[in-house]
Amino acid sequence: MRQKKIKNIEGKIARFSGPLVDEPCSFRTRWREVFRADGPLYLEIGCGKGRFIKASALKDPGSLYLGFEGQRSVMYRALQRAYVGPDVAPRDLNTVAMASVGHGDGPGDRPGDLMDNCGDSVSRDAGLPGNLLFCAAYILDMRDYFEEGELDGIFLNFSDPWPKLRQSKRRLTSPDYLRGYLHTLADGGFIRFKTDNADFFVYSRECISSEPGLEITAMTDDLRASEYAEGSEMTEYEMKFVKLGKKIHYLEARKSP
């Protein structure tokens, strides 16, 4: 879906840059140092406006959550979401987030110094979850950003299905991407995938089933009516789909030891 162009996007992103990691490829092997914490490390690829990852981080403070989003206008909304509750309506994000950070140079307002802005004490002072960080980047090769076995889980929520055959390599569940996930996942680490697109789900299920080293451990064609619903926070898209009565397809696969 094409996003509206936001004027002065870089300046606006800078105002909410507290949880934003610059040059994420330089922190390969060192993500827990960036968080200044230890614990399971989870990645959402294409975090959208941030509802899912913010809610997940709040519910699970002992784990570390990292959201990658390549569209700058969408990342701006995700950064705003970091400063407000996960259920603030997208149309209200700007007003509520601006009130949260104020208009001075307090913690979280300054661009630049990664470690100063991402430390636990600063994040708490700014009202941010200390276990949540964002990266404004597209992931083409997982190995550019993560070491072998560095991740404990990967979330793929409503990824672009790229429906044309010639676009299949761009799908985040294509064989090339899956091999990258396997390399960066620890033994027993998971991939959790959600989509409203039935054809994309069939394609993804077949690719995952065919990949040595991955085992599907949970699957349903109606997530919200299943036993897996309680453990899966909803994205903004998902909330809209559920209101429209659309079924959400879901699967979990784990890396075999």
Side-chain angles (χ1 to χ4, degrees):
M1 181 182 296
R2 174 169 286 189
Q3 300 296 321
K4 288 184 179 180
K5 187 175 181 179
I6 298 176
K7 292 182 180 180
N8 189 27
I9 185 66
E10 297 307 320
K12 291 179 177 179
I13 283 176
R15 185 166 187 82
F16 293 93
S17 66
L20 182 64
V21 178
D22 293 322
E23 300 182 7
C25 58
S26 65
F27 296 99
R28 181 176 175 270
T29 77
R30 299 194 292 124
W31 283 107
R32 288 172 177 83
E33 294 179 28
V34 180
F35 279 98
R36 294 181 179 174
D38 202 1
L41 177 60
Y42 300 126
L43 166 70
E44 184 181 10
I45 303 178
C47 66
K49 296 177 182 176
R51 188 199 179 278
F52 172 88
I53 200 166
K54 172 71 180 284
S56 297
L58 288 173
K59 188 169 73 173
D60 183 19
S63 298
L64 310 175
Y65 287 84
L66 187 58
F68 270 66
E69 175 57 58
Q71 294 192 59
R72 304 292 283 181
S73 59
V74 180
M75 175 52 67
Y76 172 53
R77 300 304 182 196
L79 290 170
Q80 289 180 314
R81 173 74 67 196
Y83 289 84
V84 304
D87 292 318
V88 171
R91 66 178 179 274
D92 299 325
L93 269 179
N94 189 63
T95 301
V96 178
M98 288 298 290
S100 298
V101 300
H103 298 280
D105 291 325
D109 287 346
R110 301 183 306 276
D113 190 335
L114 171 66
M115 299 310 288
D116 281 352
N117 279 337
C118 293
D120 286 349
S121 62
V122 173
S123 294
R124 283 196 293 269
D125 291 342
L128 300 170
N131 63 333
L132 173 63
L133 292 174
F134 293 96
C135 301
Y138 290 105
I139 293 181
L140 299 178
D141 188 337
M142 292 287 289
R143 299 168 185 83
D144 291 339
Y145 299 98
F146 303 100
E147 179 62 286
E148 182 177 2
E150 192 170 10
L151 292 170
D152 295 284
I154 297 169
F155 298 100
L156 305 174
N157 293 320
F158 301 93
S159 311
D160 193 327
W162 295 105
K164 296 179 181 179
L165 183 60
R166 68 175 183 272
Q167 300 171 327
S168 61
K169 288 188 176 181
R170 297 188 181 188
R171 298 169 190 163
L172 292 184
T173 52
S174 67
D176 285 347
Y177 272 106
L178 291 175
R179 285 189 281 273
Y181 304 153
L182 273 169
H183 178 80
T184 54
L185 280 172
D187 289 347
F190 64 75
I191 300 168
R192 291 179 183 165
F193 169 69
K194 293 195 285 189
T195 183
D196 64 305
N197 187 305
D199 290 338
F200 185 32
F201 186 71
V202 170
Y203 166 87
S204 301
R205 183 186 65 207
E206 291 176 351
C207 287
I208 292 170
S209 297
S210 300
E211 190 63 41
L214 281 176
E215 179 184 359
I216 294 177
T217 52
M219 185 166 59
T220 178
D221 286 320
D222 190 356
L223 173 60
R224 302 326 306 179
S226 77
E227 61 188 295
Y228 312 116
E230 186 176 348
S232 181
E233 294 292 338
M234 287 201 282
T235 71
E236 284 92 351
Y237 276 131
E238 188 172 357
M239 294 174 78
K240 291 179 182 178
F241 293 151
V242 169
K243 285 182 180 179
L244 293 172
K246 294 190 73 171
K247 292 183 178 181
I248 307 302
H249 307 275
Y250 169 84
L251 69 77
E252 175 190 272
R254 289 191 177 266
K255 179 179 177 179
S256 304

